[in-house]
Amino acid sequence: MDTELDRISSLPGHVLDQILSVLPIRDAVRTSALSRKWRYQWSQIPQLVFDTQCASITSPDQTIVKHYLVNIIDNVLLLHNGPIYKFKLSHRDLLGVSDIDRWILHLSRGSTKEFVLEIWKGQRYKLPSCLFSFENLTHLELFNCLLKPPSAFKGFRNLKSLDLQHVTLAQEVFENLISSCALLERLTLMNFDGFTHLKINAPNLQFFDIGGIFDDVSFNNTSLLTLVSIGLYANVKNDRHVSRGSSSKLLRFFVNLPHLRRLEIQSYFIKYLAISKVPSRLPKPCMDLNYISIRINFNDFEENSAALCILKSCPNLQEIEMLGRPEEQADVEPQTGFWGDDQWKCLFGQLRLVKIVGISGIRSELDCIKFLLSNSPVLEQMTVKPASIEGGWELVKELLRFRRASTQAEVIYLEP
Amino acid sequence: MSEVDMAVIKPEMMKSYIWIQTMDGAIQQVEQEVAMFCPMICQEVIQKGMGSSKNCAISLPQRVSPAMLSLILDYCRFHQVAGRSNKERKSFDEKFVRMDTKRLCELTSAADSLQLKPLVDLTSRALARIIEGKTPEEIREIFHLPDDLTEEEKLEPLKNTTDDPRIRLLNRLYAKKRKELKEREKLKDVDAEEEHVDDRSVDDLLSFINGGDGDSKGIKTSKNKKKNRKRKDLQKCAPSNEAIETPKKESNAASSLCHNAEVDHELQSSLSEKLKLQDAAGEIFAPTVEFDDVDIDDEIDPALKEEIDREVEDFARILNSDWPERMQELLSLGQERRLTHLSVNGNGALKGHASMPSFPL
């Protein structure tokens, strides 16, 4: 009678795997006490996720916590029977202990495809060399780790996605890693140290997202790159004497990104791009670029020129976002007449949406808004959000006056 | 069928239909664009050219009953419309899976046989949500799972037929525990007078059955003691220690009582019994480690010690009350490997435990 009513156990194996994979690891393992059919069902699930929710123990003694977690993972790995395609370890209380080496060694004997390791606290965890022998790896995600691959390391042949945050690796290690993973499509890099030159040689790269402190970024053989988001977290001192001789960083940046679709210039990166001579326009327009976001100091002449140069070279922009850096704008003598100059005429034939955020109502900001409004015949919406309440009313008064090329355009003032 | 009606009423819509046959033999017409959302049907139409007329109706797999087909078609009908927002789809999905678990399982099975992966994902997640956070008993009830694990199997989620190093570890652990038990009794002889008699009987009991075993195992434990000095703190602070101690004592006696060459097996079962007491499969998540080679002889805190003592006394009392009869039974039945349930005669101390080490009865 029971077998007639028991519908779930007769589902095909891969479906049961799926159900068990969705469960937190604890519940999945507990199913082994259900019935004969379920006894070893969990041991074949292809993914193991150990995160803060799966096991928590509060104890003032870190050793107890560590032993508890290590015990759980040891036991699950021992009892597990089958390939482990995805392994994630991200527990708040587990520091970079040497047990992790042992688990990575165990995984390296199998065919793990996705490996995620997040060390929440403590110093950088040095990855064991056996990690670099994961042949089938397609996704690698590391947080707070130190990478030092063995000299024989030839790259992850199948790696498509790489996410490194708060990592330390040497310059040549980084370059080798990128260039040897030929299939790499996505690269995320946040808060790194040990290297300052970003030489990106990745023929299949499509998605590039970095934020950190670096001296130089150059793309080589990256014609498939469509999404780039770069944040330079350190203020670049614009040393005129040094930069005069060198070639324009702006030109070098765009020369190898012919098919760029989305570009985000965050933090101080526009300052980097403004180093040395900024042309009035790029030699080749970015025809595919349809979204751009720039964090800019509206009072800085170089930054404004760089931004204008980029905007003029992207005729097919559909969405623009300009974010002010109000903390800087107060210091410098306000620039005037930059954007308002009539010779900066350019047509944004596709521009539909503009967002201006964090402005304080100074002349160059208003000129920029005026410039955008008068050059976008199909604009549908512009939202303006000041950095603070002060001067809000003045800003609104000015906005009211501006001529708009698009009859459909809405200019919306958002409260700060 | 409503689809057929629609075809008659609005001929200008020119919807194409395909013929489908369910496992009960019934044939029906279904809008082509809806049905083609299922990869399996799509394959049949495109690769084999089936479904264009009643004669070559696509016959669906066994697992797709008419009721399930109807549900699946509802799903397809909603989702194959391109213009829907993610929010709409999500909202529909949430409402769609609200059904009893029996139908949910059937639907999963049907969707899988039609290779409709999004629906399989949806129903799998719904089933997982039902399973999550429930005890094995609750889950068995919901899904009508047979409770067909033998007591033994329930108690040992780990299958150890080979010479697993963990078994050796367990042996050492139990040997240590037995030694500790004996020593504790010896210590108590100094303090307590009333219990004196009881302890001695237990002690006698153990030595009577064990013969020379206890001593030889004792030697082993001291070696282990040195190795595991640094792991002492673990055992100390584990909250569920008391519960573990009790069954271990009993099982020690149990294993000694069973004249059994295969000591490994007994220890395993006694360990497993403890496992069951704390929810067998989830045991590996308990703070205390059975597999650890823990040095417990010296550093147990006083509260724990009292607990242990109490349990020992309780157990001793039970054994002594039943002992004469039991001895008879054991001696007459001889060496039986398989452990069966011990029926406890209303003794308070043992009542709390779901299952006990079994004596061959």
Side-chain angles (χ1 to χ4, degrees):
Chain A
M1 227 279 258
D2 260 0
T3 43
E4 173 59 42
L5 293 172
D6 172 14
R7 312 250 165 192
I8 190 171
S9 309
S10 53
L11 287 173
H14 62 270
V15 177
L16 290 176
D17 277 351
Q18 202 171 332
I19 298 173
L20 289 169
S21 298
V22 176
L23 283 171
I25 189 80
R26 187 196 175 111
D27 292 278
V29 173
R30 279 159 70 115
T31 61
S32 65
L34 287 178
S35 78
R36 192 153 238 129
K37 284 213 180 105
W38 284 85
R39 218 166 143 210
Y40 299 116
Q41 192 64 47
W42 79 268
S43 66
Q44 289 157 27
I45 52 174
Q47 64 182 51
L48 294 174
V49 173
F50 298 102
D51 54 21
T52 311
Q53 285 102 343
C54 83
S56 62
I57 175 175
T58 45
S59 161
D61 188 345
Q62 173 61 28
T63 329
I64 305 296
V65 177
K66 186 199 101 154
H67 276 281
Y68 174 59
L69 293 170
V70 167
N71 171 49
I72 290 176
I73 300 175
D74 272 342
N75 277 293
V76 171
L77 281 176
L78 264 174
L79 293 169
H80 190 272
N81 178 25
I84 301 173
Y85 289 132
K86 178 176 167 185
F87 183 87
K88 175 172 170 176
L89 176 56
S90 170
H91 193 287
R92 191 192 54 209
D93 296 317
L94 189 68
L95 305 177
V97 291
S98 55
D99 304 87
I100 304 181
D101 287 358
R102 192 172 64 237
W103 300 326
I104 296 180
L105 177 63
H106 175 81
L107 291 170
S108 70
R109 293 172 181 156
S111 48
T112 304
K113 292 189 182 152
E114 287 182 36
F115 182 77
V116 178
L117 177 61
E118 293 175 353
I119 309 291
W120 289 47
K121 318 183 269 211
Q123 44 175 260
R124 299 262 197 268
Y125 166 69
K126 179 167 185 292
L127 292 161
S129 52
C130 48
L131 176 72
F132 300 97
S133 61
F134 278 38
E135 297 266 307
N136 305 66
L137 206 58
T138 56
H139 172 70
L140 179 62
E141 194 175 322
L142 301 170
F143 187 96
N144 196 12
C145 295
L146 190 148
L147 283 89
K148 203 168 169 199
S151 48
F153 179 54
K154 295 273 185 301
F156 295 113
R157 278 176 309 138
N158 296 306
L159 195 68
K160 286 203 174 142
S161 163
L162 181 60
D163 185 333
L164 303 173
Q165 302 197 25
H166 292 269
V167 292
T168 304
L169 51 159
Q171 180 70 44
E172 59 278 2
V173 167
F174 173 73
E175 284 174 34
N176 280 338
L177 185 62
I178 302 298
S179 55
S180 61
C181 300
L183 295 181
L184 195 64
E185 288 171 10
R186 292 176 66 96
L187 176 61
T188 302
L189 204 56
M190 295 281 173
N191 297 312
F192 46 89
D193 49 67
F195 60 102
T196 52
H197 288 260
L198 300 171
K199 292 209 190 96
I200 312 294
N201 181 350
N204 283 305
L205 198 63
Q206 292 166 24
F207 174 97
F208 181 76
D209 182 3
I210 67 156
I213 298 174
F214 51 91
D215 289 339
D216 188 63
V217 60
S218 65
F219 294 97
N220 194 0
N221 192 10
T222 48
S223 50
L224 290 181
L225 202 48
T226 53
L227 198 152
V228 171
S229 170
I230 304 190
L232 178 57
Y233 295 164
N235 199 343
V236 173
K237 291 285 172 270
N238 200 353
D239 191 345
R240 279 251 162 77
H241 300 286
V242 170
S243 57
R244 193 162 287 157
S246 57
S247 62
S248 160
K249 295 242 194 245
L250 193 62
L251 287 173
R252 277 183 57 218
F253 180 78
F254 280 96
V255 71
N256 278 317
L257 301 175
H259 299 293
L260 202 56
R261 276 201 222 130
R262 276 182 77 99
L263 178 60
E264 289 171 23
I265 299 174
Q266 295 166 344
S267 299
Y268 295 99
F269 191 62
I270 190 78
K271 259 193 142 103
Y272 164 90
L273 288 176
I275 291 176
S276 88
K277 194 166 167 327
V278 174
S280 68
R281 211 182 266 271
L282 291 175
K284 249 165 83 175
C286 299
M287 300 303 289
D288 295 329
L289 198 72
N290 57 40
Y291 174 93
I292 191 165
S293 165
I294 309 178
R295 171 81 55 182
I296 184 171
N297 175 0
F298 280 104
N299 265 332
D300 183 305
F301 181 79
E302 277 87 20
E303 288 187 38
N304 278 308
S305 339
L308 185 58
C309 167
I310 298 172
L311 288 177
K312 284 196 322 191
S313 317
C314 310
N316 295 324
L317 275 174
Q318 290 169 19
E319 199 176 321
I320 295 179
E321 187 183 39
M322 309 275 282
L323 307 152
R325 254 187 264 130
E327 66 278 5
E328 281 198 329
Q329 280 161 202
D331 307 339
V332 190
E333 173 99 11
Q335 297 270 331
T336 54
F338 182 77
W339 293 89
D341 201 328
D342 270 340
Q343 59 173 292
W344 300 146
K345 262 216 179 3
C346 75
L347 202 62
F348 295 113
Q350 313 258 2
L351 189 59
R352 283 186 173 69
L353 181 60
V354 175
K355 287 190 192 144
I356 313 279
V357 179
I359 58 171
S360 30
I362 59 176
R363 193 72 249 155
S364 60
E365 289 164 357
L366 295 169
D367 287 344
C368 176
I369 294 174
K370 197 160 128 191
F371 163 77
L372 289 171
L373 281 173
S374 55
N375 283 313
S376 45
V378 296
L379 188 68
E380 287 168 14
Q381 191 184 94
M382 174 189 278
T383 59
V384 178
K385 190 169 176 182
S388 66
I389 296 249
E390 284 174 28
W393 180 230
E394 294 300 316
L395 180 60
V396 173
K397 283 200 286 189
E398 292 285 343
L399 287 176
L400 267 176
R401 289 182 62 165
F402 292 148
R403 293 208 172 84
R404 306 167 196 189
S406 160
T407 52
Q408 305 296 318
E410 280 184 320
V411 178
I412 301 171
Y413 175 86
L414 296 171
E415 295 293 335
Chain B
M1 281 220 48
S2 57
E3 283 92 44
V4 176
D5 290 340
M6 271 177 67
V8 169
I9 293 167
K10 298 179 192 171
E12 71 272 12
M13 289 189 58
M14 286 298 285
K15 263 198 198 163
S16 47
Y17 290 82
I18 52 177
W19 295 86
I20 292 187
Q21 182 176 38
T22 45
M23 34 85 103
D24 58 344
I27 303 179
Q28 56 180 277
Q29 268 189 319
V30 177
E31 299 114 309
Q32 184 161 4
E33 56 180 4
V34 172
M36 294 282 268
F37 203 67
C38 300
M40 181 258 169
I41 295 179
C42 197
Q43 223 174 359
E44 289 284 304
V45 169
I46 292 176
Q47 285 183 9
K48 299 182 194 165
M50 302 276 287
S52 50
S53 76
K54 213 168 180 175
N55 295 335
C56 57
I58 299 170
S59 64
L60 295 182
Q62 185 72 9
R63 290 187 271 158
V64 187
S65 68
M68 291 302 119
L69 176 65
S70 166
L71 275 176
I72 291 177
L73 289 176
D74 287 341
Y75 180 86
C76 294
R77 201 167 290 123
F78 182 87
H79 280 282
Q80 58 96 17
V81 175
R84 303 208 194 268
S85 72
N86 283 339
K87 214 169 161 186
E88 282 178 357
R89 289 183 196 271
K90 226 180 145 194
S91 167
F92 172 86
D93 285 348
E94 273 170 43
K95 292 201 196 90
F96 187 73
V97 283
R98 282 189 216 155
M99 59 181 82
D100 61 272
T101 48
K102 175 166 164 264
R103 278 162 74 88
L104 204 51
C105 294
E106 271 188 67
L107 184 58
T108 312
S109 180
D112 176 63
S113 65
L114 292 177
Q115 298 160 27
L116 190 55
K117 196 169 182 316
L119 184 53
V120 177
D121 289 346
L122 178 62
T123 49
S124 305
R125 270 182 277 125
L127 286 167
R129 275 198 297 272
I130 297 174
I131 295 175
E132 193 171 338
K134 299 206 169 61
T135 65
E137 289 79 26
E138 286 171 345
I139 301 174
R140 263 186 238 124
E141 210 188 296
I142 294 173
F143 290 101
H144 304 285
L145 297 177
D147 192 357
D148 61 358
L149 286 171
T150 62
E151 286 314 313
E152 191 184 322
E153 285 168 327
K154 253 185 224 171
L155 307 182
E156 44 160 322
L158 4 142
K159 187 114 183 113
N160 287 313
T161 46
T162 57
D163 183 20
D164 197 301
R166 283 178 302 171
I167 301 300
R168 280 185 253 126
L169 252 150
L170 289 172
N171 290 345
R172 288 204 290 265
L173 186 64
Y174 276 100
K176 254 196 305 201
K177 289 276 190 178
R178 250 179 286 151
K179 184 190 170 217
E180 180 218 14
L181 178 74
K182 276 205 296 193
E183 277 179 31
R184 244 173 246 296
E185 265 97 65
K186 285 192 194 126
L187 282 172
K188 265 154 56 156
D189 287 349
V190 179
D191 313 327
E193 306 87 335
E194 308 93 23
E195 281 87 43
H196 188 78
V197 174
D198 289 341
D199 294 338
R200 198 121 47 120
S201 328
V202 175
D203 205 17
D204 288 342
L205 209 84
L206 289 173
S207 51
F208 171 78
I209 299 304
N210 276 349
D213 288 0
D215 298 330
S216 57
K217 290 249 165 65
I219 296 168
K220 273 196 211 159
T221 44
S222 55
K223 259 197 256 172
N224 293 334
K225 205 161 142 182
K226 287 200 187 96
K227 256 197 293 189
N228 299 307
R229 215 158 277 267
K230 51 185 180 252
R231 301 259 227 127
K232 283 189 282 221
D233 50 341
L234 178 71
Q235 188 72 5
K236 210 190 327 185
C237 301
S240 47
N241 227 347
E242 304 83 38
I244 296 171
E245 293 300 297
T246 317
K248 271 194 179 153
K249 301 273 178 305
E250 287 141 355
S251 54
N252 280 339
S255 45
S256 14
L257 284 166
C258 298
H259 316 268
N260 213 316
E262 233 181 78
V263 185
D264 287 7
H265 192 236
E266 305 313 308
L267 287 174
Q268 195 176 307
S269 316
S270 21
L271 167 74
S272 325
E273 158 238 281
K274 173 176 44 68
L275 282 175
K276 170 140 201 222
L277 290 167
Q278 293 177 33
D279 183 13
E283 181 52 24
I284 54 183
F285 289 92
T288 322
V289 184
E290 300 77 41
F291 306 113
D292 254 8
D293 242 353
V294 183
D295 187 348
I296 40 161
D297 287 59
D298 307 316
E299 253 98 343
I300 301 203
D301 62 331
L304 213 50
K305 266 191 181 151
E306 282 176 59
E307 264 289 321
I308 295 168
D309 293 349
R310 208 176 352 107
E311 301 294 358
V312 171
E313 291 158 38
D314 286 334
F315 185 61
R317 235 175 281 125
I318 302 150
L319 278 182
N320 286 327
S321 60
D322 290 343
W323 186 244
E325 298 87 51
R326 289 212 178 285
M327 265 315 292
Q328 295 288 54
E329 288 167 328
L330 284 167
L331 292 172
S332 58
L333 284 167
Q335 322 196 2
E336 224 169 280
R337 286 174 190 220
R338 195 149 163 72
L339 306 186
T340 53
H341 265 301
L342 164 71
S343 54
V344 179
N345 306 319
N347 185 300
L350 294 174
K351 219 186 224 169
H353 307 301
S355 122
M356 287 298 308
S358 338
F359 301 92
L361 292 170

